[in-house]
Amino acid sequence: MRFSSSDRQINVNRLEALTDGVFSIAITLLVLTIRIPEPGEIISQSELIKYILSLDYELFSYCISFFVVGSLWISGNKRMKFLRKTDDLHLWLSLLNLLFITLIPLTTSLLSDYGDFEFVELLFHGNILMLEIIALIEWEYLIRNTDLVQEEVLSKLDIRNIRKKNFFSVFVPILGMVISIFTSAWSNLVYLLLFFRSLIIRY
Amino acid sequence: MRFSSSDRQINVNRLEALTDGVFSIAITLLVLTIRIPEPGEIISQSELIKYILSLDYELFSYCISFFVVGSLWISGNKRMKFLRKTDDLHLWLSLLNLLFITLIPLTTSLLSDYGDFEFVELLFHGNILMLEIIALIEWEYLIRNTDLVQEEVLSKLDIRNIRKKNFFSVFVPILGMVISIFTSAWSNLVYLLLFFRSLIIRY
Amino acid sequence: MRFSSSDRQINVNRLEALTDGVFSIAITLLVLTIRIPEPGEIISQSELIKYILSLDYELFSYCISFFVVGSLWISGNKRMKFLRKTDDLHLWLSLLNLLFITLIPLTTSLLSDYGDFEFVELLFHGNILMLEIIALIEWEYLIRNTDLVQEEVLSKLDIRNIRKKNFFSVFVPILGMVISIFTSAWSNLVYLLLFFRSLIIRY
Amino acid sequence: MRFSSSDRQINVNRLEALTDGVFSIAITLLVLTIRIPEPGEIISQSELIKYILSLDYELFSYCISFFVVGSLWISGNKRMKFLRKTDDLHLWLSLLNLLFITLIPLTTSLLSDYGDFEFVELLFHGNILMLEIIALIEWEYLIRNTDLVQEEVLSKLDIRNIRKKNFFSVFVPILGMVISIFTSAWSNLVYLLLFFRSLIIRY
């Protein structure tokens, strides 16, 4: 549990714990983007049903964001699993990653309320884009700093495949940005492509 | 701690950490469904006592939801304890499970404020129903994918009993839905049945 | 890490993770009981300084509650450290404990805003009293169910001393209740006694 | 995983878990200091863009606070990594540390809204100063209580260097306080110095 490997590295376990903490809070705060009526605001049941049904776009945005955050958590886990130790630069990259994770409830909330504005869609896709770019940089850093990685795993890694997958992941929010210029409100459907990522690119 | 079993599986530990994170946040956010008066809103002590006493239904809903979430956490733990590793489909099932967990503070809050509307009760029971159905699917998936499960545990499992328990768990929110059509506001008392689950069906 | 001890028990690790999660969220939510002015609500710096200084009682309540929750976390850890495994009844006791932990931000918030009402002080002390009574019951349960406890630790335990400490801990909130009848607002100072607990009763 | 070392010490693991929990929640709550418009509050897209651009100072404060909290987490990890066990005094120091961590979302929020008031900047720097002073005391306590520290690590520690680093860390918020008297709003830029800490003082 406690390796005491070297004075300068920090346990990978701690980084995993902070990451899981931030992800679980961000994923739970997302639900606050769905606004429910105040007590007394609604009087009849039919009015309430109408209100709940009008939340369709909020619920859709919530599900997409939950799915994207979940997908980032899964790919982040795969990346972190190879780690033997960390260094300061890698830790700061990971914290930068967490910073953009904490912004997702914010950009999702904006999307929920102002999804018909192109600018808000660009902000949301930009948030995801930053996360995917940081993931790509983190991978490249690990590939170049093999002392951070577990040897027995490293040999099994198909680096070409990892890069393909990373570029695909960066491409998806860019596609979302392009689509958001043409249509309004539904451009985040593009993230359903992430579902197929593991099918089209094995890894 | 770090198995490096295979490149495609993720540590079960991480899934447990995310799950415990989401459950602990959802369980703590539940308390926000109990609305306390703003400072200055209430002037005399007797007025405040009257206010607190009027929170009876909110407190009751809170306790029931806390109990249901706790019960889902316990049964989820029992399920996860058998895991040796996970795969992508199992991870997504687990994330779907967490999505419906994060919705519970929302449906509980609606129930707190609008518990006399049948529709709100149906929403709450529907939320629990989804969670129990996902649990049932997850069990069936594990039973069919024995490579995910620890061998020495698998042999000891009484699959018939697990299925009985799962069907009982799905039945409870359905019973709640039926009851909510006849009475109003108190149909979530049905979840006290979960207390007896471990007594009537050993496992 | 994964013992697969028996099908009916759940890993103590998971209970520790949920407990640490709930405690860390409750302890962080406490800060929301300190109300800061909305942007634009205050115009001059001197007005803001006056406002911050007027938060003295809120800050005091916050520190006391933080200290009490921290103290409960420490004594809970000492209790959990002896666990070899858990059973259903012990898990439900632990969840009941967490339920009253999640209520502390609520009772603290009431105390912050309405600390001059005797009833609010009684509610706050009642909340702590419930937590200490549950801790006492949990200890008695563990002492009677030695299969849950690590043998090598059990022999070293001074049960008489544990009981002394538990009764002292139950006594403190009761003393707080009595004091709150005579004075107003400052009865939670009584919890500073917990500081001396480890000095007067060794354990 | 479970050492049962002695009845009086608590697992370092639990302290790590609580710390990671509080840090991840504080770091995620920070985002709530960025106020987004209510639904319906803004009508045209150009108005929304103007609004988002006006959040520059809030976003800047958010990034600085995130960076400071991240930096405190990293240095706290380095400190905790040397621990073999804890005692009551060390636990209370750690909890005091967490108390000031939970205050950061509050002081950051004040800074976001009232950053042009010198007093608010002093509060923010004071919050960080307390955290750095507690870290310094914790280090001195560990250096004097070598039974808490892992022996094989202790010999490798360069105590002179640790002290240099601690005094540098205490100096930064004091510098911030001095700067805040001369300029307004941007004194928290001083924390960028923390970036160079690991370069100028090796450790």
Side-chain angles (χ1 to χ4, degrees):
Chain A
M1 198 65 202
R2 343 209 73 252
F3 312 107
S4 74
S5 37
S6 144
D7 319 88
R8 301 203 66 224
Q9 279 86 29
I10 288 176
N11 281 334
V12 175
N13 294 345
R14 297 297 302 276
L15 181 58
E16 291 182 340
L18 190 79
T19 306
D20 290 338
V22 170
F23 268 88
S24 51
I25 299 156
I27 231 169
T28 320
L29 284 187
L30 271 180
V31 91
L32 303 181
T33 61
I34 305 169
R35 251 168 265 260
I36 56 164
E38 295 285 303
E41 197 183 321
I42 275 168
I43 310 160
S44 71
Q45 177 162 257
S46 61
E47 204 185 331
L48 187 76
I49 295 177
K50 214 185 280 174
Y51 183 94
I52 301 284
L53 292 179
S54 77
L55 291 175
D56 55 348
Y57 186 68
E58 277 84 349
L59 281 163
F60 160 76
S61 298
Y62 171 68
C63 290
I64 291 287
S65 288
F66 193 101
F67 170 73
V68 173
V69 173
S71 154
L72 285 161
W73 181 75
I74 290 179
S75 60
N77 276 7
K78 285 178 179 164
R79 201 167 55 243
M80 238 181 266
K81 220 179 68 177
F82 303 128
L83 284 180
R84 197 166 55 83
K85 55 179 191 179
T86 61
D87 60 15
D88 274 13
L89 195 60
H90 178 262
L91 275 175
W92 281 113
L93 266 177
S94 305
L95 285 174
L96 196 64
N97 189 51
L98 294 182
L99 186 143
F100 283 99
I101 287 293
T102 64
L103 287 175
I104 284 191
L106 208 79
T107 48
T108 303
S109 181
L110 275 172
L111 197 68
S112 254
D113 297 341
Y114 296 99
D116 43 344
F117 290 167
E118 195 183 281
F119 175 69
V120 169
E121 290 184 88
L122 288 176
L123 265 185
F124 181 77
H125 294 306
N127 195 345
I128 312 293
L129 181 61
M130 287 306 298
L131 283 160
E132 296 291 7
I133 287 175
I134 293 165
L136 182 145
I137 293 173
E138 217 181 309
W139 264 119
E140 293 301 320
Y141 185 71
L142 292 184
I143 290 167
R144 275 163 188 73
N145 293 269
T146 48
D147 58 316
L148 298 183
V149 182
Q150 301 186 45
E151 269 170 79
E152 72 273 25
V153 183
L154 194 68
S155 55
K156 279 191 267 172
L157 275 180
D158 182 350
I159 290 172
R160 253 185 72 117
N161 222 334
I162 289 174
R163 284 191 176 134
K164 253 198 258 173
K165 210 159 193 173
N166 289 342
F167 281 110
F168 180 78
S169 305
V170 168
F171 162 77
V172 173
I174 293 176
L175 184 67
M177 286 172 153
V178 173
I179 293 175
S180 68
I181 296 169
F182 296 105
T183 72
S184 82
W186 301 95
S187 67
N188 44 358
L189 267 172
V190 87
Y191 295 103
L192 295 182
L193 279 174
L194 294 177
F195 249 138
F196 303 105
R197 183 173 54 175
S198 48
L199 299 177
I200 47 179
I201 309 167
R202 288 196 59 82
Y203 152 60
Chain B
M1 196 66 201
R2 344 208 74 252
F3 310 108
S4 73
S5 39
S6 145
D7 319 87
R8 301 202 66 224
Q9 278 88 27
I10 289 177
N11 282 335
V12 175
N13 293 344
R14 297 296 303 274
L15 180 59
E16 291 182 341
L18 190 78
T19 305
D20 290 338
V22 170
F23 268 87
S24 51
I25 300 156
I27 231 168
T28 319
L29 284 187
L30 270 179
V31 91
L32 302 182
T33 60
I34 306 169
R35 250 168 265 257
I36 57 165
E38 295 285 301
E41 196 183 322
I42 274 167
I43 310 160
S44 71
Q45 177 162 257
S46 60
E47 204 185 330
L48 187 76
I49 296 175
K50 214 184 282 172
Y51 183 94
I52 301 285
L53 292 179
S54 78
L55 291 175
D56 55 348
Y57 186 67
E58 276 85 349
L59 281 164
F60 161 75
S61 298
Y62 170 68
C63 290
I64 291 287
S65 287
F66 193 101
F67 171 72
V68 173
V69 173
S71 153
L72 285 160
W73 181 75
I74 291 179
S75 60
N77 276 7
K78 285 178 180 164
R79 200 167 56 242
M80 238 181 265
K81 220 179 68 178
F82 302 128
L83 284 180
R84 197 167 54 83
K85 54 179 191 180
T86 61
D87 60 14
D88 274 13
L89 195 60
H90 178 262
L91 275 174
W92 282 113
L93 266 177
S94 305
L95 285 173
L96 196 63
N97 189 51
L98 294 182
L99 187 142
F100 283 98
I101 287 293
T102 65
L103 287 175
I104 283 190
L106 208 79
T107 47
T108 303
S109 181
L110 275 172
L111 197 68
S112 254
D113 297 341
Y114 297 100
D116 43 343
F117 291 167
E118 194 184 281
F119 175 70
V120 169
E121 292 184 88
L122 289 176
L123 265 185
F124 181 77
H125 295 306
N127 195 344
I128 312 293
L129 181 62
M130 286 306 298
L131 284 160
E132 296 291 5
I133 288 174
I134 293 165
L136 181 146
I137 293 173
E138 217 181 309
W139 265 118
E140 294 300 320
Y141 185 71
L142 292 184
I143 289 167
R144 275 165 187 73
N145 292 271
T146 48
D147 58 316
L148 298 183
V149 183
Q150 302 186 45
E151 269 170 77
E152 70 273 26
V153 183
L154 194 68
S155 54
K156 279 190 267 172
L157 276 179
D158 182 351
I159 290 172
R160 253 185 72 117
N161 222 334
I162 288 174
R163 284 192 175 134
K164 255 198 256 172
K165 209 160 193 172
N166 289 341
F167 280 109
F168 180 78
S169 304
V170 168
F171 161 76
V172 174
I174 293 176
L175 184 67
M177 286 173 154
V178 173
I179 294 174
S180 69
I181 295 169
F182 296 105
T183 73
S184 83
W186 299 96
S187 67
N188 44 358
L189 268 171
V190 86
Y191 294 104
L192 296 181
L193 278 174
L194 293 177
F195 248 136
F196 303 104
R197 183 173 53 175
S198 48
L199 299 176
I200 47 178
I201 309 166
R202 288 195 59 82
Y203 151 59
Chain C
M1 198 64 204
R2 345 208 73 253
F3 311 106
S4 74
S5 39
S6 144
D7 320 86
R8 301 202 67 223
Q9 278 86 28
I10 288 176
N11 282 335
V12 174
N13 293 345
R14 297 295 303 274
L15 180 59
E16 291 183 341
L18 190 78
T19 305
D20 290 337
V22 170
F23 268 87
S24 51
I25 299 156
I27 231 169
T28 319
L29 284 187
L30 269 180
V31 91
L32 303 182
T33 61
I34 306 169
R35 251 168 266 259
I36 56 165
E38 294 285 302
E41 196 183 322
I42 275 168
I43 311 161
S44 71
Q45 177 162 256
S46 60
E47 203 185 333
L48 187 75
I49 295 176
K50 213 184 282 172
Y51 183 94
I52 301 284
L53 293 179
S54 78
L55 291 175
D56 55 348
Y57 187 68
E58 277 84 350
L59 281 163
F60 160 76
S61 298
Y62 171 68
C63 289
I64 291 286
S65 288
F66 193 100
F67 170 73
V68 172
V69 173
S71 154
L72 286 160
W73 181 75
I74 290 179
S75 60
N77 276 6
K78 284 178 180 165
R79 201 168 55 243
M80 237 181 266
K81 220 179 67 177
F82 302 128
L83 284 181
R84 198 166 55 82
K85 55 179 191 179
T86 61
D87 60 15
D88 274 13
L89 195 60
H90 177 262
L91 275 175
W92 282 113
L93 266 177
S94 306
L95 285 173
L96 196 64
N97 189 51
L98 294 182
L99 186 143
F100 283 98
I101 287 292
T102 65
L103 287 176
I104 283 190
L106 207 79
T107 49
T108 302
S109 182
L110 275 172
L111 197 68
S112 255
D113 297 341
Y114 297 100
D116 43 343
F117 291 167
E118 194 183 282
F119 175 70
V120 169
E121 291 184 88
L122 288 176
L123 265 186
F124 180 77
H125 294 306
N127 195 345
I128 312 294
L129 181 60
M130 286 306 298
L131 283 160
E132 296 292 5
I133 287 174
I134 293 165
L136 182 146
I137 293 172
E138 217 181 309
W139 264 119
E140 293 301 320
Y141 185 72
L142 292 184
I143 289 167
R144 275 164 188 73
N145 293 269
T146 47
D147 58 315
L148 298 183
V149 183
Q150 302 186 45
E151 271 171 75
E152 70 274 25
V153 184
L154 194 67
S155 54
K156 280 190 267 172
L157 276 178
D158 182 350
I159 290 171
R160 253 184 72 117
N161 222 334
I162 289 173
R163 284 192 176 133
K164 255 198 256 171
K165 209 159 193 172
N166 289 343
F167 281 110
F168 180 79
S169 305
V170 168
F171 162 77
V172 174
I174 293 175
L175 184 67
M177 285 171 154
V178 173
I179 293 175
S180 69
I181 295 168
F182 296 105
T183 72
S184 82
W186 300 96
S187 67
N188 44 357
L189 268 171
V190 87
Y191 294 104
L192 296 181
L193 279 174
L194 293 178
F195 248 137
F196 303 104
R197 183 173 54 177
S198 48
L199 299 176
I200 47 177
I201 310 167
R202 287 197 59 81
Y203 151 60
Chain D
M1 197 64 203
R2 344 209 73 250
F3 312 109
S4 73
S5 38
S6 144
D7 319 87
R8 301 201 68 224
Q9 279 85 30
I10 289 176
N11 282 335
V12 175
N13 293 345
R14 297 295 303 275
L15 181 59
E16 291 182 341
L18 190 79
T19 306
D20 290 338
V22 170
F23 268 87
S24 51
I25 299 156
I27 232 168
T28 320
L29 284 187
L30 271 180
V31 91
L32 302 182
T33 62
I34 306 170
R35 251 168 266 260
I36 56 165
E38 296 285 301
E41 196 182 322
I42 274 168
I43 309 160
S44 72
Q45 177 163 257
S46 60
E47 204 185 332
L48 187 76
I49 295 176
K50 213 184 281 173
Y51 184 93
I52 301 284
L53 292 179
S54 78
L55 291 174
D56 55 348
Y57 186 68
E58 277 86 349
L59 281 164
F60 160 75
S61 298
Y62 171 69
C63 289
I64 291 287
S65 288
F66 193 102
F67 170 73
V68 172
V69 173
S71 154
L72 286 160
W73 181 76
I74 290 179
S75 60
N77 276 6
K78 284 178 179 164
R79 201 167 55 243
M80 237 182 267
K81 220 179 68 177
F82 302 128
L83 285 180
R84 198 167 54 82
K85 55 180 191 179
T86 61
D87 60 15
D88 275 12
L89 195 60
H90 178 262
L91 275 176
W92 282 113
L93 267 177
S94 305
L95 285 173
L96 196 64
N97 189 50
L98 294 183
L99 186 143
F100 284 98
I101 287 293
T102 64
L103 287 176
I104 283 189
L106 207 79
T107 48
T108 302
S109 182
L110 275 172
L111 197 68
S112 254
D113 296 341
Y114 297 100
D116 42 344
F117 291 166
E118 195 184 281
F119 175 70
V120 169
E121 291 183 89
L122 288 175
L123 265 185
F124 180 77
H125 294 306
N127 195 345
I128 311 293
L129 181 60
M130 287 305 299
L131 283 160
E132 296 292 5
I133 288 174
I134 293 164
L136 182 146
I137 293 172
E138 217 181 308
W139 264 119
E140 293 301 319
Y141 185 72
L142 291 184
I143 289 167
R144 275 163 187 74
N145 292 270
T146 48
D147 58 317
L148 298 184
V149 182
Q150 302 187 44
E151 271 170 77
E152 71 273 26
V153 183
L154 195 66
S155 55
K156 279 190 269 173
L157 275 179
D158 182 351
I159 290 171
R160 253 185 72 116
N161 222 335
I162 288 173
R163 283 191 176 134
K164 253 198 259 173
K165 209 159 194 173
N166 289 342
F167 281 109
F168 180 78
S169 305
V170 168
F171 162 77
V172 174
I174 293 176
L175 185 66
M177 285 172 154
V178 174
I179 294 175
S180 69
I181 295 169
F182 297 105
T183 73
S184 83
W186 300 96
S187 68
N188 44 358
L189 267 171
V190 87
Y191 294 104
L192 295 181
L193 280 173
L194 294 178
F195 248 137
F196 303 105
R197 184 172 54 175
S198 48
L199 299 176
I200 48 178
I201 310 166
R202 288 196 59 82
Y203 152 60

